[in-house]
Amino acid sequence: MHSLLKVDNELNTKVDAFRERITGEAENLVASFFPNKLLELDNFLKDPILNICELKEIHSEINLTVPDPILLSNHLHDGLEAQNAKKRIMEDCTGEDKVAGTKVFVMPGGMMKSNAKLVDLIEKVKPEIRTLIEKCNTVKMWVQLLIPRIEDGNNFGVSIQEETVAELRTVEGEAASYLDQISGYYITRAKLVSKIAKYPHVEDYRRTVTEIDEKKYISLKVIVSELRNQYVTLHDMILKNIDKIKKPRSSNAEALY
C-alpha cells in the first residue's frame, strides 16, 4: 500500500510539473509570441516576393516540345486498311481518352521541374502554418486544464473557456487545411504536366498550368494574411477574457482537475 501511494505521489508530481510547464509556455505565447508573430507576418506581407504585380513573372517554362505531325500515307485511307487502322485507334482509346495520345516513356529534357518560384514561396509559408498549429495546440491544452469540474450554476466563465477552446480548435483545422491545399496544388499540376506530355499539341493544357500557378501564388498571399489575422484574433480574444479564462468561477470553492 505504501509503495502504491509513493507511485501516485510521483505521478502527481510529474503531472503538476507538466501543468506548470504548459501554463508557462501558453502565457508566454499569448503575451509575447502571438503579438511578435503577427507583426512578423505583417512585414512578410510587404515583402516583394508577395507583391508581384505582373503574374507572368512567376510563370515556369514547360520544357516539352511539340513533335512534328505524323503524315499518313494514302493507302491507309483506302478500303479495309483504313477501317482496321481506325479500329486499332479506337481500341487503344479507353475511358476519357477519345483521341489517342502520345505514349510517354521518358521526358525529353529529363525530369520536369516544378515552378521554382512557387516552391520557394511554399517552403517559406509551410513553417508558418506548422508553427500556428503547434502554438494553438499548446494554448488549447492550457485553457482545457483551467476548466473546473462540472457543477450547477456559475458557469459563465466556463462557457468563455469553452468558446476559447472551440476557437483555437477551429484555427488549428483551418491551418491544417492550408497544408492540404498545397499538396493538392502539386497533384493537380503534375496531372496537367502529364497531360501536356501525352497531348503536346493541345495548347489549353499548357495555359491551364500557368493559370493554376497564378492561382496558387494569390492563394499563398491570402494564406499568409489569414495566418496573421488568426494571431491577431486569438491574441485579442484571450487578452479580453483572460480573467475569466484563468478564474472562471468567482467562488473561492472552485476546484480544478
Side-chain angles (χ1 to χ4, degrees), residues 77-94:
H77 295 282
D78 299 330
L80 294 175
E81 291 191 25
Q83 293 179 7
N84 291 335
K86 182 178 180 181
K87 182 180 179 181
R88 285 195 300 272
I89 291 174
M90 293 304 293
E91 287 175 348
D92 290 339
C93 299
T94 58

Side-chain angles (χ1 to χ4, degrees), residues 191-202:
K191 289 180 179 178
L192 282 170
V193 171
S194 299
K195 286 286 189 180
I196 294 172
K198 189 173 183 181
Y199 303 103
H201 296 88
V202 182

Side-chain angles (χ1 to χ4, degrees), residues 96-227:
E96 297 178 355
D97 297 331
K98 301 303 180 184
V99 179
T102 303
K103 290 184 178 181
V104 181
F105 298 100
V106 64
M107 292 292 186
M111 182 171 63
M112 186 65 191
K113 298 288 188 179
S114 302
N115 187 318
K117 293 180 181 177
L118 283 179
V119 170
D120 182 57
L121 182 55
I122 286 171
E123 291 306 309
K124 287 185 169 102
V125 173
K126 276 172 61 178
E128 300 295 346
I129 298 172
R130 185 188 64 192
T131 298
L132 178 61
I133 294 173
E134 292 173 352
K135 303 311 180 187
C136 279
N137 186 268
T138 299
V139 177
K140 182 180 69 176
M141 176 59 67
W142 169 60
V143 178
Q144 286 176 322
L145 290 173
L146 290 172
I147 296 176
R149 71 184 180 192
I150 299 172
E151 293 180 356
D152 292 333
N154 198 18
N155 287 319
F156 177 69
V158 177
S159 68
I160 292 176
Q161 289 177 321
E162 291 173 344
E163 288 180 15
T164 304
V165 170
E167 181 64 23
L168 287 161
R169 187 173 288 115
T170 299
V171 170
E172 274 186 290
E174 290 179 358
S177 72
Y178 300 151
L179 296 176
D180 291 336
Q181 291 176 26
I182 290 172
S183 59
Y185 158 73
Y186 283 128
I187 292 171
T188 302
R189 196 176 193 277
K191 289 180 179 178
L192 282 170
V193 171
S194 299
K195 286 286 189 180
I196 294 172
K198 189 173 183 181
Y199 303 103
H201 296 88
V202 182
E203 183 183 3
D204 287 339
Y205 284 135
R206 295 174 184 265
R207 288 187 176 275
T208 305
V209 171
T210 61
E211 289 292 332
I212 66 166
D213 282 351
E214 291 180 4
K215 179 182 176 182
K216 176 47 61 177
Y217 175 78
I218 296 170
S219 173
L220 287 169
K221 184 170 183 178
V222 171
I223 287 173
V224 175
S225 178
E226 283 298 314
L227 293 175

Side-chain angles (χ1 to χ4, degrees), residues 46-62:
K46 299 172 185 175
D47 193 295
I49 195 174
L50 283 174
N51 291 278
I52 296 174
C53 296
E54 290 292 333
L55 293 180
K56 290 181 179 179
E57 294 180 27
I58 58 100
H59 290 176
S60 177
E61 182 182 358
I62 301 173

